[in-house]
Amino acid sequence: MAQIKLTNVQKSYLDVEVLRNINLELDSGEFTVFVGPSGCGKSTLLRLIAGLESITSGTLEINGMVMNDVPPAQRGIAMVFQSYALYPHMTVAENMAFALKIAKKSSTEIDKAIRHAADILQLSHLLERLPKELSGGQRQRVAIGRAIVRNPSVFLFDEPLSNLDAALRVQTRLEIANLHDSLEASMIYVTHDQVEAMTLASKIVLLNAGEAVQKEGSIAQVGPPLELYHRPATRFVAGFIGSPKMNFIPGHLESASANQATVRLCNGAVVHAAVDARRAKKGEKIELGIRPEHFSSQTLESDALPGKVSYVERLGEVSYTYLSVEGHQDLVTVRNDGDTPHLANDQVNLHVPAKNSHLFDSEGKAFPRILGTGTAG
Amino acid sequence: MGQILFAFSTIIVGVFGCVAYFYFSNLLLDRALPAKGPNAGLNINRANAIRPWLFLGPAIVILSLYLVYPVINSIWLSFHDASAANFVGFDNYVWLVNDSKFQESMLNNLLWLIVVPGASTLLGLVAAQLTDSIRWGNIAKSLIFMPMAVSFIGASVIWKFIYDYRGEGNAEIGLLNSIVTSFGGSPEAWITLGFWNNFFLMVVLIWIQTGFAMVILSAALRGIPEETIEAAILDGASPLQVFLKIKVPQIWGTIAVVWTTITITVLKVFDIVLAMTNGQWGSQVLANLMFDWMFRGADSGRASTVALVIMVLVTPIMVWNIRNARKEG
Amino acid sequence: MADIAGQKARLTWAINISVIVLVLLWTIPTFGLLVSSFRDADQIASTGWWEALFPTERNEIFRAKGADAQNLVGDVYQIKGNLFEGGQGAIIAFGVSSLKPTAYYPGETGKMSRDRLLTLQANGDYVLASPKPFRSSRGVRIFATVQSPPKFTWENYQKVLFSEGVGRSFLNTFTVTIPATIIPILIAAFAAYALAWMQFPGRALLIAAVVGLLVVPLQMALIPLLKLHNDIGIGKDYLGIWLAHTGFGLPLAIYLLRNYIAGLPREIIESAKVDGATDFDIFRRIILPLSFPALASFAIFQFLWVWNDLLVATVFLGNNEEQLVMTGRLRELLGSRGGDWEILAASAFVSIFVPLIVFFSLQRFLVRGLLAGSVKGG
């Protein structure tokens, strides 16, 4: 049974609709990540579940009970805020005890809960400190500890790593993953960082922003991380997941069969893609999508994309070659080995493997890919 | 001892009564609508709808009674006679416009408005810049700021002593007269000199307000991005040029807020005039005129009319000031 | 700026001197009154206070002891004594006739009529010698220029505190000030929280109303409120003045505190809500402790304002012994004892003593408060 269920949820501020047509089922024990560009309403969605914002229409159920009008404290959730929201005038122990004191728990019970949480998070030696005496990472752990002591059925995280530096972010990310395994609790996590989404999530909810919300509703795609990577439902999902982002090259459909489509690109090159594009008409405008890491290093005459090297970024372990392609404004990004021989102004002929290509119709919808075993998520 | 006990118990009753209201009203609400049981959700939502009014209740009652009602009542009174019994139409306004004391007060207030805010702000700005650039600046600041803590009436005593006049044949113990005589001048009873006495009264207010201006402007000066000053120095600006062309233009907003704030204080100035001259010798001002009509003249109609004039003068400045302060944020 | 290379030392000097001049200008008036409050009435009336700090020189006429005090030493009759008789002072010059009162320096011997000799030391010891016995029981006159050290006294303070009613007024002022400081803060803090963080219909309207009320000059409120107080039977009493000060202080208090409280991090308040706290819990346990700086700075303002207020006290409190506050007392003294500077000076200092302590010890908060809301109209 789904632990959290949203049905046709919609949220407006005055007459501005920020979330639309949200239908979502999250199972017990799952690690769900809400991800999307800024302004997509992912934090708002989390706050709707927390009860910090009211739902304009639709229903929210937690553990089978409708929660629309239940105040936050009664929903069995705990939340870790972006700024941690530690009470600055209380010690670490007092911060963790606050919710339990409000609930009028006995002092032995409170003590036990604090000790337990402090053990898990290695905070035992910091219990008497004030938040301002802690490092960023320690504050982060106190914020999580404050959630743990309440023993909630769902943990909510609102961009919890965005205030940490890069090294600490990686470390804390791993700790949160460990915590999820050991507590076996459900977690919902909001981030704008796709690396966090890919590494932590058992299920990603990718949200639309802008005009797409009106057309398709707020949810762009829901699924495990690798499914979003390999089978993006739309051009938007394909572009959002993966870094550097996927190249989109416009062209026309030449022909389509059950397992392959032939495409004439804007510069005249003809390539193939392993997709079922039969629902499109011949000659229809389409876009070919290919990730920078999926170009082949071989030089073949067929399925080749000619272009001129604009410049090369050498990062050591890899290098990125930016190609200008005739008839196409954007540069095409290609990932190569670190010691690629490409130089600026070189003419190159890149092989576009059919099995790695994506195809999108003029609406941005993806055609289903035909994937061999082992490549699908 | 009895007095101390009385004072102490009065204080306790006053303060405790207020605390008790908030504590028990909220306790009662939590009891009546407990956040437990089958209706927890409903109860909490209901309590949340009621609680703001518990929090706001006393403020709303007191504000309406002590500020809103008086404004309405004053307007009503201004159309009635001395005893507030008979409607007299615009008589009070007509009287006011033709009254020589009112004309004198308006002129004097105008004079105060021209001199005091400008002088205080300018002196405050200079003091802020000077004290910011020396090591013992903080001590100097708190000494210049100190008159802020002194009551207008206390300040009046302090300055009346400076202006003291003993008359021919006596040793002058007022500092001003003593300085005048040591330069060969003859002593004067300064605060009885028609027209000029206004300036001697203004000095008292300038003395008080300069510290205020200095503190605010000093903070504004320190808030100026260091880089703009360093850039100006690299461009070869002299310290005076840095001050006038780089710093001052960047704090115009704050200068305006200080200026207008002092302007409002000036419009309401009362204690100084009351204590120093009581409006004699051509030094009357609006606030004291109003006070005169209220207590010595016992004419609530005329007094209210003067009070309304003060409010009408203050309002646009205040509105502008709040807007400006918001923009400054 | 202080570290920039090549700054001119002359400029630094000029700045230092200017600041010294400014500081002197701003402190001398108060200092003068402070000094005067420790001088006795006669001295205040005869010399300027700035002379009190230095020894004063006066020409005085003393009288030596009479014939009873003479001794025969050898064949000379002597009278010994000290002009100051235990007091302090120093003789700078002396003389034996009113025509030449400064003819001799101390230690010298002056010739008097009838072959009498007078030797006077700087400390006032004199020896009067005569070949013939002294007859008159009245001693001879000695003219001397005396330098006396500065002399200060607590008498003025004793007098104003215990016989001029200033002590009583001091207590009355406390009785007015403390509740009139705490009550508006409490009421304003609750209202400010509600206006900042609670959801209810009409909130924006109420905020606008509070800002609007900032413009009402309190002069306007006096007549209607006095009538109101009389009608509802509060009359002229402490309750009335507390309420009046509360009413006049509230708009600014709510405005300042709301700005501060609204600036507290939203997430902290939401976190407390998720933790199950009601608004009253949040107010008590989170908002009050976190708003301490703002509360303190407003408290100082309101304290100074109420303590120093004359107008509201004059109108809403009686003019009698039980209710007259310091400012009212001072004004009364200015009227009745206008020339008695020793009384005025001491009273003024009793009245500004408390605000000055508050001012110097809590200046940090005061400045912060000023910066937060520089819109107070006084």
Side-chain angles (χ1 to χ4, degrees):
Chain A
M1 183 190 76
Q3 190 187 18
I4 296 180
K5 188 171 169 195
L6 294 99
T7 315
N8 291 324
V9 167
Q10 187 241 354
K11 173 71 182 171
S12 309
Y13 293 108
L14 300 174
D15 50 354
V16 182
E17 199 174 39
V18 288
L19 288 172
R20 183 184 154 86
N21 193 21
I22 292 190
N23 288 290
L24 203 54
E25 293 193 3
L26 308 177
D27 295 330
S28 183
E30 235 176 345
F31 198 121
T32 310
V33 174
F34 295 166
V35 67
S38 61
C40 70
K42 53 193 186 293
S43 281
T44 307
L45 182 53
L46 190 76
R47 293 161 61 82
L48 289 180
I49 296 171
L52 292 171
E53 309 266 355
S54 62
I55 294 170
T56 311
S57 69
T59 54
L60 164 71
E61 290 166 58
I62 301 178
N63 296 327
M65 302 214 319
V66 176
M67 287 287 172
N68 285 36
D69 292 323
V70 175
Q74 261 72 33
R75 293 187 181 197
I77 49 115
M79 183 149 167
V80 176
F81 290 87
Q82 181 171 13
S83 66
Y84 319 140
L86 300 181
Y87 308 126
H89 57 298
M90 298 182 190
T91 62
V92 170
E94 284 166 346
N95 258 289
M96 296 204 277
F98 185 75
L100 304 179
K101 273 186 195 153
I102 294 281
K104 301 211 164 64
K105 292 269 164 42
S106 73
S107 62
T108 48
E109 214 174 327
I110 294 175
D111 215 44
K112 217 177 105 189
I114 292 177
R115 255 169 231 293
H116 176 66
D119 277 348
I120 295 177
L121 297 163
Q122 295 144 29
L123 286 169
S124 304
H125 60 294
L126 300 173
L127 285 176
E128 297 313 313
R129 301 254 185 107
L130 286 172
K132 64 177 177 212
E133 298 163 337
L134 303 178
S135 69
Q138 288 166 336
R139 282 179 210 181
Q140 171 66 68
R141 293 215 298 274
V142 175
I144 296 173
R146 210 165 58 175
I148 291 176
V149 292
R150 301 190 55 208
N151 197 18
S153 62
V154 185
F155 283 86
L156 308 178
F157 293 89
D158 188 3
E159 308 218 17
L161 305 185
S162 58
N163 285 336
L164 299 178
D165 63 41
L168 210 49
R169 206 175 297 170
V170 174
Q171 187 195 331
T172 313
R173 204 169 72 202
L174 292 175
E175 282 174 18
I176 290 177
N178 276 335
L179 197 68
H180 178 243
D181 291 344
S182 61
L183 292 176
E184 294 173 355
S186 309
M187 292 186 174
I188 303 178
Y189 187 107
V190 166
T191 182
H192 62 273
D193 177 0
Q194 55 153 311
V195 178
E196 277 172 33
M198 297 297 283
T199 51
L200 286 170
S202 57
K203 181 188 269 177
I204 289 182
V205 177
L206 179 54
L207 298 178
N208 279 323
E211 288 171 20
V213 176
Q214 290 306 315
K215 265 193 284 180
E216 310 168 16
S218 275
I219 295 181
Q221 192 169 357
V222 179
L226 285 181
E227 186 177 318
L228 266 68
Y229 179 78
H230 288 298
R231 296 175 184 276
T234 63
R235 186 184 185 278
F236 165 73
V237 177
F240 191 85
I241 303 283
S243 172
K245 107 191 242 272
M246 184 185 276
N247 299 297
F248 298 102
I249 303 160
H252 295 276
L253 187 66
E254 291 268 291
S255 67
S257 69
N259 52 15
Q260 197 168 56
T262 313
V263 179
R264 179 172 293 276
L265 295 177
C266 54
N267 65 347
V270 175
V271 295
H272 296 90
V275 301
D276 177 2
R278 283 175 298 171
R279 70 176 148 89
K281 286 196 221 70
K282 226 182 122 177
E284 197 179 299
K285 269 181 80 174
I286 45 107
E287 271 187 303
L288 176 84
I290 177 141
R291 295 189 187 279
E293 59 268 36
H294 286 161
F295 285 100
S296 160
S297 53
Q298 296 163 286
T299 326
L300 293 172
E301 282 305 309
S302 63
D303 287 342
L305 176 69
K308 194 171 105 178
V309 175
S310 213
Y311 56 94
V312 184
E313 286 179 346
R314 296 175 194 278
L315 303 184
E317 99 236 60
V318 293
S319 59
Y320 294 111
T321 305
Y322 296 92
L323 288 183
S324 69
V325 172
E326 209 179 312
H328 184 44
Q329 272 189 342
D330 300 336
L331 294 175
V332 172
T333 314
V334 182
R335 199 177 83 162
N336 289 317
D337 293 340
D339 51 0
T340 180
H342 291 158
L343 291 173
N345 296 326
D346 283 359
Q347 284 289 343
V348 292
N349 232 3
L350 285 170
H351 175 58
V352 181
K355 68 173 166 59
N356 291 338
S357 297
H358 302 245
L359 224 51
F360 304 94
D361 64 18
S362 53
E363 297 275 278
K365 289 255 179 307
F367 294 104
R369 293 181 71 194
I370 314 299
L371 293 172
T373 46
T375 31
Chain B
M1 203 58 223
Q3 301 168 10
I4 296 177
L5 216 65
F6 169 75
F8 197 69
S9 57
T10 324
I11 289 169
I12 295 280
V13 168
V15 173
F16 186 78
C18 188
V19 175
Y21 160 77
F22 284 111
Y23 187 80
F24 287 110
S25 66
N26 277 285
L27 197 70
L28 204 68
L29 186 64
D30 288 338
R31 283 280 157 80
L33 299 167
K36 284 183 201 126
N39 295 328
L42 192 64
N43 279 350
I44 288 175
N45 288 337
R46 273 191 197 155
N48 282 347
I50 297 172
R51 207 182 307 269
W53 303 106
L54 288 187
F55 278 35
L56 282 165
I60 292 177
V61 169
I62 291 183
L63 283 178
S64 354
L65 214 55
Y66 280 80
L67 291 172
V68 179
Y69 161 73
V71 172
I72 298 165
N73 194 242
S74 291
I75 295 172
W76 186 84
L77 282 174
S78 74
F79 290 106
H80 288 75
D81 65 2
S83 57
N86 306 304
F87 181 76
V88 294
F90 282 93
D91 280 9
N92 285 322
Y93 292 88
V94 174
W95 159 82
L96 194 67
V97 175
N98 296 312
D99 182 53
S100 68
K101 266 293 177 188
F102 174 74
Q103 290 161 0
E104 175 192 319
S105 304
M106 283 297 273
L107 273 176
N108 284 341
N109 263 114
L110 193 68
L111 208 56
W112 281 73
L113 284 181
I114 293 168
V115 176
V116 177
S120 308
T121 311
L122 189 69
L123 280 168
L125 186 61
V126 170
Q129 170 63 22
L130 291 181
T131 51
D132 272 345
S133 49
I134 57 171
R135 218 167 278 160
W136 54 288
N138 278 338
I139 301 169
K141 265 203 199 99
S142 65
L143 288 173
I144 296 174
F145 191 32
M146 180 204 68
M148 267 296 276
V150 178
S151 58
F152 283 179
I153 194 95
S156 303
V157 172
I158 289 171
W159 281 89
K160 214 172 178 186
F161 189 49
I162 299 237
Y163 300 146
D164 189 72
Y165 171 68
R166 290 272 133 169
E168 295 295 323
N170 294 318
E172 290 298 340
I173 60 165
L175 191 58
L176 185 59
N177 273 322
S178 153
I179 291 171
V180 168
T181 44
S182 74
F183 282 103
S186 57
E188 293 276 2
W190 301 105
I191 58 174
T192 62
L193 293 175
F195 182 71
W196 295 108
N197 54 4
N198 281 305
F199 294 93
F200 292 109
L201 303 195
M202 289 178 206
V203 167
V204 183
L205 194 56
I206 295 171
W207 180 70
I208 294 174
Q209 295 290 333
T210 296
F212 161 77
M214 175 194 66
V215 165
I216 301 214
L217 294 173
S218 157
L221 284 174
R222 269 182 274 162
I224 292 174
E226 195 69 16
E227 288 87 351
T228 60
I229 297 162
E230 287 169 350
I233 291 172
L234 288 178
D235 285 344
S238 72
L240 188 67
Q241 284 172 322
V242 169
F243 179 64
L244 291 179
K245 297 191 175 164
I246 306 296
K247 290 187 175 181
V248 171
Q250 293 195 62
I251 59 167
W252 267 126
T254 313
I255 292 177
V257 169
V258 169
W259 190 295
T260 47
T261 305
I262 299 175
T263 301
I264 293 167
T265 312
V266 169
L267 277 172
K268 297 183 188 173
V269 69
F270 153 77
D271 317 41
I272 296 174
V273 176
L274 179 75
M276 299 274 274
T277 64
N278 199 7
Q280 293 166 281
W281 307 298
S283 64
Q284 188 64 291
V285 293
L286 287 175
N288 197 47
L289 181 70
M290 182 245 150
F291 190 79
D292 259 0
W293 278 110
M294 181 174 151
F295 292 101
R296 274 184 284 278
D299 186 330
S300 60
R302 290 181 174 182
S304 296
T305 313
V306 180
L308 278 170
V309 169
I310 298 175
M311 186 169 102
V312 167
L313 290 175
V314 168
T315 304
I317 307 171
M318 198 74 187
V319 169
W320 189 84
N321 200 356
I322 290 170
R323 277 197 176 169
N324 209 359
R326 287 215 169 146
K327 252 190 297 178
E328 288 293 301
Chain C
M1 289 267 297
D3 280 340
I4 288 176
Q7 237 185 355
K8 293 194 189 82
R10 247 187 310 161
L11 182 69
T12 316
W13 275 107
I15 290 176
N16 270 299
I17 290 166
S18 320
V19 176
I20 291 172
V21 169
L22 265 178
V23 167
L24 284 179
L25 274 176
W26 254 257
T27 47
I28 280 178
T30 321
F31 186 67
L33 201 70
L34 177 65
V35 169
S36 298
S37 73
F38 288 106
R39 302 178 76 202
D40 69 53
D42 294 341
Q43 277 197 334
I44 294 179
S46 61
T47 55
W49 59 266
W50 53 94
E51 293 172 45
L53 299 175
F54 309 103
T56 47
E57 286 180 16
R58 277 194 319 276
N59 294 322
E60 286 189 47
I61 303 168
F62 297 90
R63 210 168 262 284
K65 288 178 194 162
D68 305 346
Q70 64 184 308
N71 292 310
L72 187 62
V73 180
D75 54 355
V76 180
Y77 295 91
Q78 281 190 340
I79 297 176
K80 287 189 181 176
N82 185 298
L83 291 184
F84 301 123
E85 283 168 347
Q88 282 184 311
I91 308 292
I92 294 174
F94 71 98
V96 294
S97 82
S98 59
L99 296 176
K100 289 183 176 174
T102 56
Y104 308 101
Y105 290 110
E108 291 180 341
T109 302
K111 288 194 174 120
M112 301 173 91
S113 57
R114 284 178 269 173
D115 294 331
R116 290 175 183 173
L117 297 172
L118 174 68
T119 313
L120 185 56
Q121 306 297 335
N123 66 2
D125 286 339
Y126 62 89
V127 179
L128 200 57
S130 168
K132 292 175 192 156
F134 293 92
R135 292 275 158 71
S136 169
S137 61
R138 278 186 88 196
V140 297
R141 288 192 298 171
I142 301 172
F143 303 89
T145 305
V146 179
Q147 189 181 51
S148 41
K151 189 178 151 201
F152 296 106
T153 169
W154 285 101
E155 264 172 41
N156 302 329
Y157 284 95
Q158 278 167 5
K159 195 162 158 198
V160 299
L161 281 177
F162 301 111
S163 60
E164 292 286 341
V166 172
R168 176 71 215 235
S169 294
F170 193 73
L171 277 181
N172 293 345
T173 308
F174 265 112
T175 314
V176 170
T177 308
I178 292 176
T181 304
I182 298 173
I183 294 172
I185 289 183
L186 260 176
I187 292 178
F190 274 98
Y193 173 73
L195 292 176
W197 290 107
M198 291 167 99
Q199 302 294 333
F200 58 90
R203 195 173 77 147
L205 202 71
L206 272 177
I207 296 172
V210 167
V211 173
L213 287 174
L214 282 171
V215 308
V216 179
L218 71 92
Q219 274 93 345
M220 168 148 282
L222 302 178
I223 305 166
L225 285 184
L226 193 57
K227 284 186 177 167
L228 181 80
H229 278 181
N230 286 331
D231 290 348
I232 60 176
I234 296 177
K236 290 191 165 195
D237 205 350
Y238 286 111
L239 180 62
I241 194 170
W242 294 340
L243 289 174
H245 273 305
T246 303
F248 301 145
L250 266 185
L252 184 74
I254 296 176
Y255 177 76
L256 285 184
L257 292 178
R258 195 200 89 88
N259 282 356
Y260 186 90
I261 290 174
L264 293 174
R266 163 182 287 273
E267 295 196 335
I268 286 188
I269 288 147
E270 287 178 341
S271 168
K273 279 194 178 149
V274 174
D275 278 348
T278 65
D279 282 305
F280 188 58
D281 290 322
I282 294 174
F283 181 79
R284 244 181 351 147
R285 301 195 194 202
I286 313 271
I287 302 291
L288 275 190
L290 292 186
S291 311
F292 180 77
L295 295 173
S297 66
F298 181 76
I300 298 166
F301 263 119
Q302 180 75 1
F303 182 89
L304 290 179
W305 159 246
V306 174
W307 185 280
N308 287 337
D309 157 78
L310 171 66
L311 187 55
V312 179
T314 312
V315 176
F316 291 102
L317 269 187
N319 218 358
N320 54 31
E321 200 55 23
E322 280 74 45
Q323 294 184 328
L324 197 59
V325 294
M326 278 305 310
T327 45
R329 173 77 62 186
L330 213 49
R331 175 182 160 229
E332 197 192 79
L333 290 174
L334 263 175
S336 66
R337 320 272 312 242
D340 300 345
W341 283 110
E342 77 284 0
I343 302 285
L344 282 175
S347 309
F349 269 89
V350 173
S351 95
I352 66 179
F353 173 68
V354 173
L356 282 185
I357 289 181
V358 169
F359 174 82
F360 280 114
S361 54
L362 300 171
Q363 211 182 57
R364 202 162 42 98
F365 291 109
L366 188 70
V367 170
R368 205 179 298 174
L370 270 183
L371 296 178
S374 44
V375 289
K376 167 95 175 177

